Amino acid sequence: MRTAAWIAAIIVILLVGGYAFATGGTPARKPPEWLTAQKIAHRGLWTEGPERPENSLAAFEAAAAAGFAVELDAHLSADGEVVVVHDSELDRMTGEDLLVEDLTVAELQELRLLGGDETIPTLAEVLELVDGRVPVFVEIKNEGEVGALEDAVAEQLAAYEGDACVMSFNPYSLARVAEAAPEIPRGQLASRFKGEDLPWYQKLILANMAMNWTSKPDFIAYDIDALPCPGVTVQTWRGRPILGWTIDDADELAHAEKYCDGFICNPGALEPE
């Protein structure tokens, strides 16, 4: 009986210790206050039409002018430049059946967003436009080989004089940025991953942020439709700010306010600061 009790206690200790290690433990540094100082405009303050498409310079200017932080999506062009667009496939935003990674910057900027005047910007152009007025949240969009995109983003943000951070669903992308530029704040994006083409165990690990041991995030950005959840509660106890995404209206904002410290919003949930 006593032997069984000791074995059970050891198993519990190992499980608890393993979970604490896998999910990142306590952050090694205090997250910056600017992460949650204002609402974050998801892909900028955009319109449905061509006037201010998502992830355009016009949308980012509107967001910064209104006092919102800006969130954007980063891909790598064929010639190694960081460009700002959400989808790898360009048909939704440009009407062209092309891939970002197959085109150079010059070729990408020949395309027009939603048939208007706006083009696909580079990260450098966005940073120059924002110029430190509001924080910039860069989501690294990388489901492939980690390296070139992460290094390029890290290099630009390390040289940027304003407040900026990186986020990614890919924990290895964040780990790469941590190696290249450890001073840049990192955010682990996560959700329940319902409908995603992933094995069940990967969904379980990622939903519970059990790869934080490698990404070492300063904050968590979690799908508000999956809140509340125990994994996020644990991260809150450990002192990591929780950013909720993506908030479409006042009702969703009210829901997110129960569990989150910061808010990544589409235009319907944004009011001038």
Side-chain angles (χ1 to χ4, degrees):
M1 178 71 73
R2 291 180 180 178
T3 300
W6 279 107
I7 292 174
I10 291 170
I11 291 173
V12 170
I13 290 170
L14 290 174
L15 289 173
V16 171
Y19 177 80
F21 171 77
T23 55
T26 302
R29 59 188 177 188
K30 182 180 179 180
E33 293 182 359
W34 57 259
L35 289 170
T36 58
Q38 66 260 88
K39 292 176 185 173
I40 304 158
H42 182 237
R43 308 179 198 171
L45 188 56
W46 46 269
T47 60
E48 293 286 354
E51 178 187 1
R52 294 200 313 268
E54 65 178 58
N55 278 320
S56 67
L57 290 180
F60 296 132
E61 174 56 34
F68 300 120
V70 299
E71 183 269 353
L72 57 85
D73 304 289
H75 287 265
L76 203 65
S77 68
D79 52 347
E81 292 292 330
V82 183
V83 294
V84 177
V85 62
H86 183 268
D87 306 333
S88 177
E89 301 85 2
L90 293 167
D91 56 335
R92 180 175 68 89
M93 292 303 297
T94 72
E96 301 290 341
D97 187 18
L98 300 167
L99 296 176
V100 172
E101 56 266 32
D102 292 339
L103 302 178
T104 66
V105 168
E107 291 169 333
L108 286 165
Q109 294 195 327
E110 289 177 358
L111 304 174
R112 293 294 178 267
L113 297 175
L114 300 181
D117 295 328
E118 293 292 315
T119 63
I120 296 171
T122 64
L123 177 59
E125 289 172 335
V126 177
L127 295 178
E128 182 179 8
L129 174 77
V130 175
D131 193 27
R133 288 179 290 168
V134 295
V136 177
F137 291 69
V138 178
E139 181 182 344
I140 296 175
K141 308 287 285 188
N142 189 358
E143 298 179 1
E145 183 177 352
V146 168
L149 173 57
E150 291 77 9
D151 290 350
V153 169
E155 181 180 7
Q156 292 191 42
L157 294 189
Y160 181 58
E161 295 185 357
D163 295 327
C165 64
V166 296
M167 306 187 297
S168 185
F169 285 101
N170 188 338
Y172 296 112
S173 289
L174 296 180
R176 181 68 177 228
V177 173
E179 293 177 3
E183 71 278 9
I184 298 171
R186 302 177 299 278
Q188 183 64 61
L189 280 159
S191 72
R192 289 177 181 157
F193 297 96
K194 287 186 176 180
E196 296 293 328
D197 186 21
L198 294 170
W200 68 266
Y201 59 87
Q202 286 190 18
K203 292 182 180 181
L204 179 66
I205 289 170
L206 294 173
N208 288 281
M209 294 155 287
M211 290 296 290
N212 282 4
W213 63 270
T214 188
S215 60
K216 298 180 175 62
D218 297 283
F219 65 96
I220 303 298
Y222 214 88
D223 180 1
I224 62 165
D225 291 335
L227 296 176
C229 75
V232 170
T233 301
V234 168
Q235 296 299 323
T236 299
W237 290 343
R238 289 175 173 167
R240 290 187 176 91
I242 308 301
L243 307 185
W245 60 268
T246 303
I247 299 164
D248 288 320
D249 54 37
D251 289 339
E252 291 188 354
L253 181 60
H255 170 70
E257 286 173 339
K258 299 176 184 177
Y259 311 106
C260 302
D261 306 292
F263 313 99
I264 302 173
C265 302
N266 280 331
L270 294 173
E271 296 178 359
E273 297 286 289

